[in-house]
Amino acid sequence: MSTREFFEVEAKFAVTDDTEVPDLTGIAGVDGVADTAVHELSAVYYDTGDLRLTRSRITLRRRTGGTDAGWHAKLPGEGGRRELHHELSDDDANTVPAALIDPVRAIVRDLPLVPIARVDNERHESTLTDSGGAVCAEFCDDHVTAWSLLPDGDRTTWREWEIELSDDYAGTDAGADLIESATDLFGTAGADPSESPSKLVAALGDSIDDAPHPPCVAELAPDSAEAGVLAVLEHNYRRLLDYDPRVRVDEWDSVHQMRVATRELRSHLETFDGVMDGDRYRGTARGLRELASVLGAARDAEVVAERFRDLTSDGGSGVVAPEATAALVASVRADYRDAHARVVEYLNSPEYLRLLEELEKLLADPPFRGDADAPGSGDTGDTASEILLDHLGRAYRKLLARHDHAMSVWDDRSVPLREREENIHRIRKAAKKLRYSAEAVGAATGLRTKHLYKACSRMQSVLGDFQDAVTSRDILLAKAEQARADGGADTFLHGLLYQREMANGEQALAGYRRTMDAVVDAYSELDNQRRKARRKAGDKSGRSGKKGGKKH
């Protein structure tokens, strides 16, 4: 059965039973009412027992009646909501289709989905058209009866208006003007913007307060280093959850962004080792490494596919046969599709769902070392800060050591090119580690690490361009070998592109030394901050001690 996706832009209004619908052609951009109809709709909403979807502003329902009967999932989106529709079948009355579970898998995991509300609606629907006769919006006058199926849930009734833009108007300036005009017109008629974001939330009412909550992030002393640690971890955990559904539908750049969030989480866990402790903590880091590896394979294939597309745009010089170019580009695109399929398979695996659960538990019950009974109470704040700063110092010294080694042999042609390039790649990984450590230290200690973070980011960008060229060359070699094995195909194109990538790598590396100087300067600046902060803290402690002596 097919699943369709829409972008929904609508506005809801609360009205009383006796509020009269105004002349809808009074809305700017609306020239006529093409059709009116009355539909009897009935929907059952599903969620986990602790309402994970509802609390994430996501609705999942099975609706009968009207023109769009089926399974519907609505997810938050920028400027509107993503709406997924899946057809009904005779045997799916209580079984949510996998096509609608996958986009929210990171939230519901493998928890059972159960009915939480029923909403019946007598809908008076009007189709609105613009001056050209095209449908611009749909107006609905809804008379709703709902039942909360949660413990102590009640039956409620209400009336509301909805105006939803058509696909052609959603996300446009004309659509925004139409919604604004409708809001003004409906307000004049006695309608108020709805306080409830959805019919489901209105149906649940106060009963939602009695439902169990999923694990929440631990509440810590706001100014403690531990609170900063937890905030950094939570930020990237939320990013990971946010990009999960985007990766599944192969949204542009989503694999890259999810990989970044995963790597940052893993690096932060390494940075916080000593602040946090335990087997569960280290097991989470191992799970993140596996996820990063799966995402990395797809990201590398994606980058190479983009590079090959650009590299083969030779302006029609005639040096390379168009058929050879098309075949090579098609081959690397197929590599990406295969790698992306493996990512989606992993995102549905028990290992990935277990990782998400471990991260959730880590945030809810952080295993802070030395104060397990009351994490974040402030007793270990100074120790935590010192541990983080020590990790930062070690990350910086590792970067310097890798830089010195790589530069000492870079011009030595007796050292294999592969080894010299791997040395550069190790610098990039060290810069990434230092960047993540700087972010974590800044959040946890209050030190200004922004300059160091940005300097490391610039270095990563330069060395990333270099590494992309190296990865592209590796793929070109593999493709050339495969072409020869498949029957002696012409590999001139592979060699031509290989040389272009050699030149691209050299060009990227030309700016590296300036980025290294910037990192050194930024770290020196941060080190001076640290020493001043220590002296200030020492002076303050000394004055406090003297005052104490006078009292005694």
Side-chain angles (χ1 to χ4, degrees), residues 437-458:
S437 293
E439 178 189 39
V441 167
T445 68
L447 288 173
R448 297 186 300 276
T449 60
K450 184 177 180 180
H451 287 172
L452 180 58
Y453 181 90
K454 286 189 172 182
C456 290
S457 182
R458 287 192 291 269

Side-chain angles (χ1 to χ4, degrees), residues 470-519:
V470 173
T471 301
S472 177
R473 282 170 29 219
D474 289 343
I475 299 296
L476 284 165
L477 284 175
K479 293 292 183 184
E481 291 175 2
Q482 185 62 49
R484 288 192 293 270
D486 288 344
D490 184 6
T491 58
F492 173 77
L493 174 62
H494 302 73
L496 175 65
L497 299 184
Y498 188 95
Q499 286 305 116
R500 287 183 182 176
E501 288 291 42
M502 284 289 292
N504 288 337
E506 292 173 1
Q507 182 179 0
L509 205 56
Y512 162 67
R513 289 185 183 273
R514 289 193 300 274
T515 67
M516 187 66 206
D517 291 342
V519 169

Side-chain angles (χ1 to χ4, degrees), residues 183-504:
T183 300
D184 292 340
L185 177 66
F186 295 165
T188 302
D192 294 314
S194 177
E195 295 181 357
S196 178
S198 68
K199 288 183 173 64
L200 172 61
V201 172
L204 295 178
D206 293 338
S207 67
I208 194 173
D209 298 330
D210 297 325
H213 277 262
C216 299
V217 178
E219 294 185 7
L220 307 178
D223 296 331
S224 66
E226 289 87 347
V229 165
L230 213 59
V232 170
L233 293 177
E234 182 187 7
H235 171 70
N236 278 306
Y237 171 66
R238 300 297 176 197
R239 285 181 63 200
L240 192 152
L241 295 183
D242 181 47
Y243 278 102
D244 174 291
R246 304 185 192 189
V247 167
R248 293 174 186 272
V249 297
D250 202 15
E251 184 178 306
W252 183 83
D253 203 40
S254 58
V255 170
H256 172 57
Q257 293 300 330
M258 189 175 186
R259 184 192 190 193
V260 169
T262 302
R263 284 183 161 184
E264 287 193 12
L265 267 172
R266 181 188 167 202
S267 182
H268 288 149
L269 289 178
E270 292 175 356
T271 300
F272 300 149
D273 195 357
V275 180
M276 292 183 173
D277 202 1
D279 293 339
R280 176 166 57 88
Y281 176 75
R282 294 185 177 86
T284 303
R286 287 192 295 271
L288 287 168
R289 181 169 60 245
E290 184 175 358
L291 174 60
S293 176
V294 175
L295 291 167
R299 175 56 180 167
D300 287 347
E302 184 179 40
V303 168
V304 170
E306 292 173 356
R307 291 183 75 88
F308 280 18
R309 181 197 61 204
D310 295 337
L311 286 168
T312 53
S313 300
D314 63 354
S317 64
V319 174
V320 177
E323 296 80 7
T325 297
L328 180 59
V329 172
S331 175
V332 293
R333 285 177 175 168
D335 290 344
Y336 173 70
R337 288 193 296 271
D338 291 343
H340 180 264
R342 288 192 292 273
V343 169
V344 174
E345 181 181 4
Y346 185 79
L347 295 185
N348 288 323
S349 70
E351 292 80 10
Y352 174 67
L353 300 182
R354 185 164 56 247
L355 170 63
L356 294 181
E357 183 178 2
E358 289 171 352
L359 285 167
E360 184 179 69
K361 290 179 179 178
L362 185 72
L363 293 170
D365 184 20
F368 286 114
R369 189 173 180 178
D371 193 20
D373 293 333
S377 65
D379 295 344
T380 62
D382 291 340
T383 301
S385 296
E386 288 303 315
I387 290 173
L388 294 177
L389 287 166
D390 182 59
H391 277 292
L392 183 70
R394 278 189 281 159
Y396 176 67
R397 290 189 293 275
K398 178 181 284 189
L399 175 62
L400 290 183
R402 291 186 175 184
H403 164 81
D404 290 342
H405 174 66
M407 293 300 100
S408 69
V409 300
W410 178 247
D411 294 322
D412 185 352
R413 294 301 187 264
S414 66
V415 178
L417 177 62
R418 172 62 62 200
E419 182 178 330
R420 285 182 280 138
E421 290 178 337
E422 181 59 29
N423 289 337
I424 300 297
H425 185 44
R426 293 175 71 241
I427 295 176
R428 180 181 175 229
K429 290 193 286 188
K432 189 180 302 182
K433 171 67 175 175
L434 179 58
R435 173 190 164 202
Y436 295 157
S437 293
E439 178 189 39
V441 167
T445 68
L447 288 173
R448 297 186 300 276
T449 60
K450 184 177 180 180
H451 287 172
L452 180 58
Y453 181 90
K454 286 189 172 182
C456 290
S457 182
R458 287 192 291 269
M459 178 183 284
Q460 271 186 256
S461 180
V462 167
L463 297 184
D465 290 343
F466 174 81
Q467 186 59 35
D468 287 346
V470 173
T471 301
S472 177
R473 282 170 29 219
D474 289 343
I475 299 296
L476 284 165
L477 284 175
K479 293 292 183 184
E481 291 175 2
Q482 185 62 49
R484 288 192 293 270
D486 288 344
D490 184 6
T491 58
F492 173 77
L493 174 62
H494 302 73
L496 175 65
L497 299 184
Y498 188 95
Q499 286 305 116
R500 287 183 182 176
E501 288 291 42
M502 284 289 292
N504 288 337

